[in-house]
Amino acid sequence: MYDFEDKVVLVVGSSRGIGRGVCNEFIHRGADVIGISRYNCDISKQWEVDEYFSDLELVDILVNVAAINYSNKIEDVSFSEWTEVIDVNLRGYYYIIKKTLDIMPDGGKIVNVSSIAGRHRSYTSGVHYTASKAGIIGLTKQVAFEVADRGINVNAVCPSQTKTDMLLETMTEEEIEKLEKVIPMKRLAEVDEIVNPIVFLCSDGASYITGTTLDINGGQL
């Protein structure tokens, strides 16, 4: 069920954090992993995505993890900052999925990483991040509906605060300690605790799960 031998897995946002963890787990399970990161393709730029996909012939599994985040309050969010976040976190996902579906065989798998912010709201992130993550949930449900007849499963996960570089860059130790006190499990998630449910949704064990959003949040909702 968790054997991905001979599967081609495309991980978008592969350079660090959850994305890097996803890559490592799929490699461990025998997959041929291809990684997109800001260093080899800016997913907010259509022409860069087109160029990248010109060299791809097949993708069996797509995992979209890439995201950028700013914590400004709405009165301090400029139009350009709003556009930058939406272009990466939401429009980028749409276009990657669109391009991938052209080379994905029937029975493929897609998992999009949203956030607890997209389900609820955020202690630390701005309105653009929260809106983009809510948009990913809607994108997931609609794409799942449209490609179900091809046997392609499309799901999302909504992690809560996870010990990644991005989180540690945007929160102080004091803020983290304060946050942990209101989490029912009293701690942040480890990267592996997000990676493992993603891998499950890409496995044969999740063959009848599509259009769903899996909360991974230590009991916060």
Side-chain angles (χ1 to χ4, degrees), residues 80-173:
S80 61
E81 186 177 289
W82 169 276
T83 302
E84 181 186 1
V85 172
I86 298 298
D87 282 356
V88 172
N89 295 6
L90 184 56
R91 194 182 71 177
Y93 278 34
Y94 135 75
Y95 200 59
I96 289 286
I97 292 170
K98 178 180 174 67
K99 297 292 289 188
T100 299
L101 286 172
D102 289 338
I103 55 174
M104 177 174 279
D106 293 355
K109 310 284 187 182
I110 299 173
V111 176
N112 298 315
V113 176
S114 179
S115 169
I116 189 174
R119 283 289 220 183
H120 191 32
R121 48 99 180 100
S122 175
Y123 287 108
T124 59
S125 302
V127 293
H128 33 19
Y129 182 84
T130 301
S132 69
K133 291 300 185 176
I136 288 169
I137 295 172
L139 174 69
T140 298
K141 290 181 179 296
Q142 184 64 28
V143 175
F145 172 73
E146 293 181 9
V147 301
D149 61 350
R150 291 179 53 188
I152 295 175
N153 302 80
V154 187
N155 294 292
V157 297
C158 284
S160 62
Q161 302 81 5
T162 305
K163 291 181 182 177
T164 64
D165 295 336
M166 187 169 74
L167 179 135
L168 297 175
E169 290 167 1
T170 57
M171 295 185 70
T172 65
E173 288 186 16

